[in-house]
Amino acid sequence: NTMFQSLELGLMYNKEKFVTYHTGGLGDWMGLDIKSKFRLFSGYMDITLNINAKHFSERVSKIYFNPIEYVPVLRSEYKSEEMNILNCNIRAKVSSFTIQYSWINMLELFNYNKKGTEVQFNPEMPLNGWQKNISIEWHFID
């Protein structure tokens, strides 16, 4: 696209005929990735922005992994609610120095205690809320 040269769009769709432990009990899901790159300060700083949104539906599983022993566990049918996740990431790089800030499951912050924003991939683990991470990477040049 000549109008938005630094914008990348990705659409994902996954349809599972049989939900097994290989699928993690996720079943059907669809997602959207938006990625943008641009330069600041006469090209000395590279900025990368990522937004990832996913909607999980039809989450029925009879098999999942034990979180401690990591062995498959077979149980009666376990049906989970639909789940939505919105992740955001910004990365700035100057020469060999990179700083990155990631925010996982932003919807939990905006819709606290509402259905559809809880994240649970394993019935033996508690619900995941939102997570924020900052990472700093510096490669020294000899």
Side-chain angles (χ1 to χ4, degrees):
N1 189 340
T2 58
M3 196 168 192
F4 299 105
Q5 293 179 4
S6 65
L7 187 67
E8 297 176 21
L9 295 173
L11 296 172
M12 302 164 289
Y13 182 75
N14 187 55
K15 177 79 173 162
E16 290 293 336
K17 187 173 181 180
F18 301 105
V19 180
T20 66
Y21 66 90
H22 292 293
T23 65
L26 294 180
D28 301 340
W29 60 271
M30 62 183 157
L32 171 69
D33 275 333
I34 301 172
K35 184 176 184 180
S36 180
K37 294 181 182 180
F38 54 93
R39 300 184 120 183
L40 296 176
F41 306 116
S42 300
Y44 288 104
M45 179 183 281
D46 294 330
I47 303 288
T48 304
L49 297 169
N50 292 318
I51 297 174
N52 174 277
K54 287 187 180 176
H55 173 74
F56 297 90
S57 61
E58 299 295 326
R59 297 178 60 218
V60 177
S61 182
K62 294 181 180 180
I63 300 173
Y64 62 90
F65 282 106
N66 180 292
I68 296 172
E69 298 168 348
Y70 206 64
V71 294
V73 176
L74 178 63
R75 64 179 266 180
S76 60
E77 191 170 279
Y78 173 76
K79 183 167 171 96
S80 299
E81 298 288 328
E82 291 186 356
M83 182 173 68
N84 299 303
I85 298 178
L86 179 64
N87 304 323
C88 186
N89 176 334
I90 185 167
R91 178 180 175 164
K93 182 175 182 180
V94 176
S95 184
S96 63
F97 181 78
T98 304
I99 187 166
Q100 180 172 303
Y101 185 76
S102 301
W103 197 334
I104 300 168
N105 195 20
M106 292 177 71
L107 294 176
E108 180 71 16
L109 176 68
F110 301 124
N111 298 318
Y112 190 70
N113 287 335
K114 291 186 180 176
K115 292 288 183 190
T117 60
E118 298 97 355
V119 176
Q120 185 175 33
F121 292 105
N122 190 317
E124 291 188 14
M125 298 292 289
L127 295 173
N128 295 335
W130 49 270
Q131 302 170 12
K132 295 187 271 188
N133 303 314
I134 189 166
S135 65
I136 299 171
E137 186 177 318
W138 191 352
H139 294 274
F140 295 97
I141 302 173
D142 294 323

